[in-house]
Amino acid sequence: MDAQTGLAIATSPNDIAAIPNLVGDINEFVKNLENGGNEARHKLLLKARDLVQALETPRETMIKHTWAQPGAAAGLITGVDTGLWVLMARDGDKPQKVAEGRESWNIPCRLLRHLAAMGYLAETGPGEYKLTNFTKSMSLPVISGGYIALLGGIGRSSIEFHKFLRKTNWRNPIDATKTSMHLAYGTDLPNAFEYLRSIGYGPHTNNHMGGYRQGRLPWMHESIYPVAKQLFPGADSKPDAPLVVDIAGGLGHDIAEFQKMYPDHPGRLILQDLPVVIADVKDLDSNIERIGYDFHTEQPIKGARAYFMHSIMHDWPDDVCKRILSRIAEAMKPGYSKLLIFDCVIPRTGAYWENTAGDMLMMTQLSALERTQDNWYDLIEGNGLGLKIVKIWRCSDTDVENLIECELA
């Protein structure tokens, strides 16, 4: 391709011929939006994305990636860090005037101007803005936490991933002790979680763990995993018998949802995580036990009906996952205990973008991965741990996680 041809391509719409058909598809999808639920919304969203990409020129896409999105991230993160989004939300759903040096608005106004240009704020006059639903949501810690932790805390790991690959001869990363995060931030701490805690971003990380799962059905919903049919029958009904052990359950979002959905459950509900995480747990039902526990060590709760992990295995490469699984298998009671893993299962083709985005996050931050079904069978059944997959309980195509039910072979 010569320079002139290349420049002509770079400054022309990506696929102008596709526009009429895309608009037609969008008009058809709009008809199903009201009654089609999340699946119809998802299809329309993807078509709208295709339309934008077809209309954009490659030059515009390049400027969006290298100028606009990093600038928007700077504004959004600063708004979280200064408490601006909380203050604006408290002032109500009205236009708000911004002035340099205004008390409690300690943020360069130019950042807000760019966020309005990007559609994240509504500009209502010179130096005057109104929150959109998105920026209203940025006042919620479960939404804003990821901006501080993932972008502000370890975001350089993905931007500099090519440098890491250069040093490792472009090999797929599988060593949890050598990651792009270690290189980008010059740290020798064991992993990104330890690094985030060391810079004071542990609470933001915990909030994000609760935030990214919002809007999804919990694992124990009857449309995903029929607890009343699969877990309760045969469970030890004695009050001191452990029913569900939520391993590395963070602030307890999953176990709290279980308690709320099945208040008459038999036995005990137990939340486990590192002591520093357990110390941050608030507003959790007092009937749910809390135990400081490192899943690399011996599991203290033996013979539970179910050991549960939500989005834990994807944080680690296979060798570490094998050690984690071995600790659980040692504690399981043959013919009784189940291991329930709520995690991503990537299809062979047609992967959902949130799944592939999660895979990029795991690869660039932790040298880990989101797994395909084949990966899961290799990990659980191919490592001599005595575990077998009973069933993969699948959600819809637009759900990120599926429930993998395992037992001792």
Side-chain angles (χ1 to χ4, degrees):
M1 181 187 300
D2 60 41
Q4 286 303 114
T5 303
L7 286 175
I9 291 174
T11 55
S12 302
N14 279 306
D15 193 358
I16 196 72
I19 303 302
N21 285 337
L22 287 170
V23 171
D25 289 342
I26 287 172
N27 287 332
E28 285 300 312
F29 286 168
V30 166
K31 297 176 184 177
N32 299 324
L33 188 59
E34 184 174 349
N35 300 317
N38 194 54
E39 184 177 354
R41 184 193 67 84
H42 173 70
K43 289 180 178 179
L44 180 57
L45 182 62
L46 291 181
K47 281 295 178 183
R49 183 192 69 182
D50 291 343
L51 177 61
V52 169
Q53 291 178 343
L55 283 168
E56 276 184 346
T57 69
R59 187 206 70 86
E60 288 169 334
T61 304
M62 177 271 291
I63 294 296
K64 180 175 69 176
H65 289 161
T66 58
W67 295 17
Q69 290 174 342
L76 293 168
I77 295 167
T78 304
V80 177
D81 202 40
T82 60
L84 175 64
W85 309 127
V86 174
L87 291 168
M88 289 188 74
R90 286 177 182 169
D91 281 350
D93 188 16
K94 61 184 180 182
Q96 300 181 44
K97 192 77 174 176
V98 181
E100 292 286 358
R102 173 181 169 183
E103 187 178 1
S104 79
W105 284 61
N106 190 22
I107 182 173
C109 298
R110 295 156 62 191
L111 290 172
L112 301 184
R113 182 175 61 196
H114 178 56
L115 291 176
M118 293 290 288
Y120 298 125
L121 283 170
E123 187 177 49
T124 53
E128 185 178 83
Y129 302 96
K130 182 179 177 182
L131 294 175
T132 63
N133 281 346
F134 166 67
T135 36
K136 285 178 189 175
S137 297
M138 288 291 283
S139 67
L140 305 173
V142 292
I143 300 300
S144 64
Y147 289 83
I148 292 290
L150 296 188
L151 291 181
I154 54 176
R156 211 160 64 226
S157 307
S158 56
I159 300 300
E160 300 188 9
F161 184 61
H162 66 289
K163 298 179 183 178
F164 171 76
L165 285 181
R166 223 184 266 158
K167 287 183 174 292
T168 58
N169 199 27
W170 312 99
R171 288 192 297 271
N172 183 50
I174 57 171
D175 186 345
T177 66
K178 295 182 178 65
T179 71
S180 182
M181 186 277 302
H182 288 102
L183 178 65
Y185 291 93
T187 179
D188 58 0
L189 289 170
N191 53 59
F193 303 106
E194 293 292 339
Y195 175 75
L196 287 166
R197 280 193 284 268
S198 77
I199 61 174
Y201 288 177
H204 304 88
T205 305
N206 291 336
N207 282 324
H208 176 65
M209 296 303 175
Y212 83 86
R213 66 190 69 177
Q214 297 299 312
R216 303 178 189 170
L217 291 174
W219 70 271
M220 74 292 299
H221 192 276
E222 61 180 6
S223 67
I224 299 175
Y225 184 71
V227 169
K229 295 180 180 179
Q230 294 295 122
L231 203 62
F232 289 167
D236 192 333
S237 61
K238 293 194 291 292
D240 63 343
L243 179 70
V244 177
V245 180
D246 188 353
I247 301 170
L251 301 180
H253 300 95
D254 283 298
I255 202 75
E257 190 74 21
F258 188 96
Q259 170 80 338
K260 180 180 178 181
M261 195 168 289
Y262 299 99
D264 299 324
H265 64 82
R268 299 152 57 200
L269 301 182
I270 301 163
L271 172 66
Q272 295 179 333
D273 212 310
L274 294 173
V276 67
V277 177
I278 293 295
D280 285 336
V281 175
K282 299 177 178 65
D283 303 321
L284 189 65
D285 191 306
S286 59
N287 291 319
I288 299 173
E289 301 175 39
R290 311 173 196 185
I291 297 177
Y293 168 65
D294 180 346
F295 52 47
H296 296 290
T297 63
E298 181 181 352
Q299 171 59 247
I301 305 298
K302 312 294 185 184
R305 178 61 167 158
Y307 297 89
F308 171 75
M309 290 189 293
H310 186 174
S311 297
I312 303 303
M313 306 303 283
H314 74 166
D315 290 335
W316 304 95
D318 284 359
D319 61 331
V320 179
C321 286
K322 181 179 178 180
R323 293 197 297 271
I324 296 170
L325 290 170
S326 69
R327 292 300 190 180
I328 300 172
E330 292 167 358
M332 292 173 69
K333 181 179 178 181
Y336 177 77
S337 297
K338 298 178 182 290
L339 168 60
L340 303 176
I341 301 172
F342 199 40
D343 220 314
C344 171
V345 181
I346 298 182
R348 289 191 176 99
T349 61
Y352 180 46
W353 68 266
E354 280 197 43
N355 285 342
T356 57
D359 191 38
M360 294 301 98
L361 184 67
M362 297 305 110
M363 179 170 65
T364 59
Q365 311 290 0
L366 301 164
S367 289
L369 72 159
E370 300 287 10
R371 292 176 170 86
T372 64
Q373 179 170 311
D374 293 337
N375 292 149
W376 280 112
Y377 273 94
D378 288 343
L379 175 64
I380 292 171
E381 298 188 351
N383 276 315
L385 299 173
L387 291 167
K388 66 176 180 180
I389 295 177
V390 176
K391 183 175 179 178
I392 297 178
W393 299 81
R394 297 193 176 278
C395 306
S396 72
D397 291 339
T398 58
D399 283 302
V400 174
E401 293 133 335
N402 295 275
L403 190 80
I404 305 168
E405 181 181 3
C406 311
E407 294 177 354
L408 291 173

mmCIF file of all heavy atoms in Angstrom, residues 14 19 22 26 46-57 60-61 64:
data_model
loop_
_atom_site.group_PDB
_atom_site.id
_atom_site.type_symbol
_atom_site.label_atom_id
_atom_site.label_comp_id
_atom_site.label_asym_id
_atom_site.label_seq_id
_atom_site.Cartn_x
_atom_site.Cartn_y
_atom_site.Cartn_z
ATOM 1 N N ASN A 14 -14.853 3.980 7.814
ATOM 2 C CA ASN A 14 -14.414 2.584 7.794
ATOM 3 C C ASN A 14 -15.239 1.712 6.857
ATOM 4 O O ASN A 14 -14.697 0.843 6.174
ATOM 5 C CB ASN A 14 -14.464 1.999 9.210
ATOM 6 C CG ASN A 14 -13.248 2.380 10.025
ATOM 7 O OD1 ASN A 14 -12.117 2.147 9.607
ATOM 8 N ND2 ASN A 14 -13.475 2.975 11.190
ATOM 9 N N ILE A 19 -23.646 1.387 6.117
ATOM 10 C CA ILE A 19 -24.498 2.260 6.924
ATOM 11 C C ILE A 19 -25.987 2.000 6.712
ATOM 12 O O ILE A 19 -26.734 1.834 7.698
ATOM 13 C CB ILE A 19 -24.166 3.746 6.648
ATOM 14 C CG1 ILE A 19 -22.685 4.044 6.910
ATOM 15 C CG2 ILE A 19 -25.052 4.660 7.496
ATOM 16 C CD1 ILE A 19 -22.221 3.731 8.294
ATOM 17 N N LEU A 22 -27.063 -1.204 8.463
ATOM 18 C CA LEU A 22 -26.949 -1.090 9.921
ATOM 19 C C LEU A 22 -28.089 -0.252 10.490
ATOM 20 O O LEU A 22 -28.672 -0.603 11.525
ATOM 21 C CB LEU A 22 -25.597 -0.483 10.297
ATOM 22 C CG LEU A 22 -24.383 -1.397 10.116
ATOM 23 C CD1 LEU A 22 -23.084 -0.615 10.274
ATOM 24 C CD2 LEU A 22 -24.424 -2.537 11.137
ATOM 25 N N ILE A 26 -30.896 -1.535 13.107
ATOM 26 C CA ILE A 26 -31.152 -0.822 14.361
ATOM 27 C C ILE A 26 -32.628 -0.498 14.495
ATOM 28 O O ILE A 26 -33.232 -0.679 15.571
ATOM 29 C CB ILE A 26 -30.282 0.452 14.436
ATOM 30 C CG1 ILE A 26 -28.821 0.055 14.698
ATOM 31 C CG2 ILE A 26 -30.781 1.401 15.526
ATOM 32 C CD1 ILE A 26 -27.839 1.204 14.604
ATOM 33 N N LEU A 46 -24.748 -3.669 20.315
ATOM 34 C CA LEU A 46 -23.696 -4.106 19.397
ATOM 35 C C LEU A 46 -23.893 -3.512 17.998
ATOM 36 O O LEU A 46 -22.916 -3.131 17.335
ATOM 37 C CB LEU A 46 -23.664 -5.637 19.327
ATOM 38 C CG LEU A 46 -23.181 -6.368 20.581
ATOM 39 C CD1 LEU A 46 -23.179 -7.869 20.348
ATOM 40 C CD2 LEU A 46 -21.790 -5.897 20.994
ATOM 41 N N LYS A 47 -25.150 -3.421 17.550
ATOM 42 C CA LYS A 47 -25.406 -2.819 16.242
ATOM 43 C C LYS A 47 -25.060 -1.329 16.256
ATOM 44 O O LYS A 47 -24.524 -0.788 15.273
ATOM 45 C CB LYS A 47 -26.866 -3.009 15.832
ATOM 46 C CG LYS A 47 -27.182 -4.382 15.298
ATOM 47 C CD LYS A 47 -26.447 -4.655 13.979
ATOM 48 C CE LYS A 47 -26.736 -6.067 13.487
ATOM 49 N NZ LYS A 47 -25.985 -6.379 12.246
ATOM 50 N N ALA A 48 -25.379 -0.661 17.371
ATOM 51 C CA ALA A 48 -25.029 0.755 17.487
ATOM 52 C C ALA A 48 -23.514 0.939 17.467
ATOM 53 O O ALA A 48 -23.001 1.887 16.857
ATOM 54 C CB ALA A 48 -25.627 1.342 18.758
ATOM 55 N N ARG A 49 -22.797 0.045 18.114
ATOM 56 C CA ARG A 49 -21.336 0.081 18.076
ATOM 57 C C ARG A 49 -20.834 -0.117 16.644
ATOM 58 O O ARG A 49 -19.930 0.602 16.189
ATOM 59 C CB ARG A 49 -20.759 -1.006 18.979
ATOM 60 C CG ARG A 49 -19.236 -1.004 19.078
ATOM 61 C CD ARG A 49 -18.719 -2.268 19.747
ATOM 62 N NE ARG A 49 -18.928 -3.450 18.899
ATOM 63 C CZ ARG A 49 -18.606 -4.687 19.266
ATOM 64 N NH1 ARG A 49 -18.100 -4.915 20.459
ATOM 65 N NH2 ARG A 49 -18.823 -5.700 18.441
ATOM 66 N N ASP A 50 -21.424 -1.081 15.926
ATOM 67 C CA ASP A 50 -21.026 -1.316 14.542
ATOM 68 C C ASP A 50 -21.270 -0.075 13.682
ATOM 69 O O ASP A 50 -20.467 0.242 12.787
ATOM 70 C CB ASP A 50 -21.798 -2.498 13.957
ATOM 71 C CG ASP A 50 -21.392 -3.828 14.578
ATOM 72 O OD1 ASP A 50 -20.317 -3.881 15.219
ATOM 73 O OD2 ASP A 50 -22.153 -4.803 14.430
ATOM 74 N N LEU A 51 -22.379 0.619 13.968
ATOM 75 C CA LEU A 51 -22.695 1.824 13.197
ATOM 76 C C LEU A 51 -21.654 2.915 13.448
ATOM 77 O O LEU A 51 -21.172 3.558 12.503
ATOM 78 C CB LEU A 51 -24.094 2.322 13.555
ATOM 79 C CG LEU A 51 -24.547 3.625 12.883
ATOM 80 C CD1 LEU A 51 -24.566 3.462 11.360
ATOM 81 C CD2 LEU A 51 -25.914 4.057 13.406
ATOM 82 N N VAL A 52 -21.311 3.133 14.699
ATOM 83 C CA VAL A 52 -20.296 4.148 15.035
ATOM 84 C C VAL A 52 -18.964 3.801 14.372
ATOM 85 O O VAL A 52 -18.303 4.660 13.775
ATOM 86 C CB VAL A 52 -20.127 4.264 16.564
ATOM 87 C CG1 VAL A 52 -18.893 5.101 16.922
ATOM 88 C CG2 VAL A 52 -21.365 4.889 17.188
ATOM 89 N N GLN A 53 -18.572 2.539 14.460
ATOM 90 C CA GLN A 53 -17.291 2.133 13.879
ATOM 91 C C GLN A 53 -17.300 2.240 12.361
ATOM 92 O O GLN A 53 -16.267 2.553 11.744
ATOM 93 C CB GLN A 53 -16.946 0.716 14.326
ATOM 94 C CG GLN A 53 -16.607 0.627 15.810
ATOM 95 C CD GLN A 53 -16.313 -0.782 16.270
ATOM 96 O OE1 GLN A 53 -16.650 -1.753 15.585
ATOM 97 N NE2 GLN A 53 -15.700 -0.914 17.436
ATOM 98 N N ALA A 54 -18.436 1.989 11.738
ATOM 99 C CA ALA A 54 -18.528 2.130 10.284
ATOM 100 C C ALA A 54 -18.440 3.591 9.862
ATOM 101 O O ALA A 54 -17.852 3.921 8.822
ATOM 102 C CB ALA A 54 -19.828 1.506 9.781
ATOM 103 N N LEU A 55 -19.014 4.491 10.668
ATOM 104 C CA LEU A 55 -19.002 5.915 10.347
ATOM 105 C C LEU A 55 -17.652 6.568 10.619
ATOM 106 O O LEU A 55 -17.250 7.499 9.915
ATOM 107 C CB LEU A 55 -20.080 6.635 11.160
ATOM 108 C CG LEU A 55 -21.522 6.479 10.669
ATOM 109 C CD1 LEU A 55 -22.492 6.981 11.726
ATOM 110 C CD2 LEU A 55 -21.728 7.234 9.362
ATOM 111 N N GLU A 56 -16.948 6.108 11.639
ATOM 112 C CA GLU A 56 -15.659 6.698 11.993
ATOM 113 C C GLU A 56 -14.623 6.461 10.908
ATOM 114 O O GLU A 56 -14.620 5.419 10.240
ATOM 115 C CB GLU A 56 -15.122 6.072 13.287
ATOM 116 C CG GLU A 56 -15.652 6.683 14.547
ATOM 117 C CD GLU A 56 -14.993 6.081 15.780
ATOM 118 O OE1 GLU A 56 -14.340 5.024 15.657
ATOM 119 O OE2 GLU A 56 -15.154 6.658 16.855
ATOM 120 N N THR A 57 -13.728 7.411 10.779
ATOM 121 C CA THR A 57 -12.542 7.171 9.960
ATOM 122 C C THR A 57 -11.461 6.567 10.859
ATOM 123 O O THR A 57 -11.479 6.782 12.080
ATOM 124 C CB THR A 57 -12.011 8.473 9.353
ATOM 125 O OG1 THR A 57 -11.473 9.300 10.393
ATOM 126 C CG2 THR A 57 -13.111 9.227 8.609
ATOM 127 N N GLU A 60 -9.948 9.157 13.071
ATOM 128 C CA GLU A 60 -10.774 9.523 14.221
ATOM 129 C C GLU A 60 -10.680 8.459 15.312
ATOM 130 O O GLU A 60 -10.622 8.787 16.512
ATOM 131 C CB GLU A 60 -12.225 9.706 13.781
ATOM 132 C CG GLU A 60 -12.457 10.958 12.958
ATOM 133 C CD GLU A 60 -13.833 10.996 12.314
ATOM 134 O OE1 GLU A 60 -14.416 9.907 12.068
ATOM 135 O OE2 GLU A 60 -14.328 12.103 12.056
ATOM 136 N N THR A 61 -10.682 7.198 14.917
ATOM 137 C CA THR A 61 -10.553 6.120 15.902
ATOM 138 C C THR A 61 -9.221 6.216 16.637
ATOM 139 O O THR A 61 -9.148 6.037 17.861
ATOM 140 C CB THR A 61 -10.681 4.752 15.221
ATOM 141 O OG1 THR A 61 -11.916 4.683 14.496
ATOM 142 C CG2 THR A 61 -10.644 3.618 16.242
ATOM 143 N N LYS A 64 -9.391 9.023 19.080
ATOM 144 C CA LYS A 64 -10.240 8.609 20.206
ATOM 145 C C LYS A 64 -9.447 7.752 21.189
ATOM 146 O O LYS A 64 -9.515 7.954 22.407
ATOM 147 C CB LYS A 64 -11.458 7.836 19.684
ATOM 148 C CG LYS A 64 -12.408 7.353 20.778
ATOM 149 C CD LYS A 64 -13.650 6.704 20.190
ATOM 150 C CE LYS A 64 -13.335 5.387 19.506
ATOM 151 N NZ LYS A 64 -14.553 4.712 19.009
#
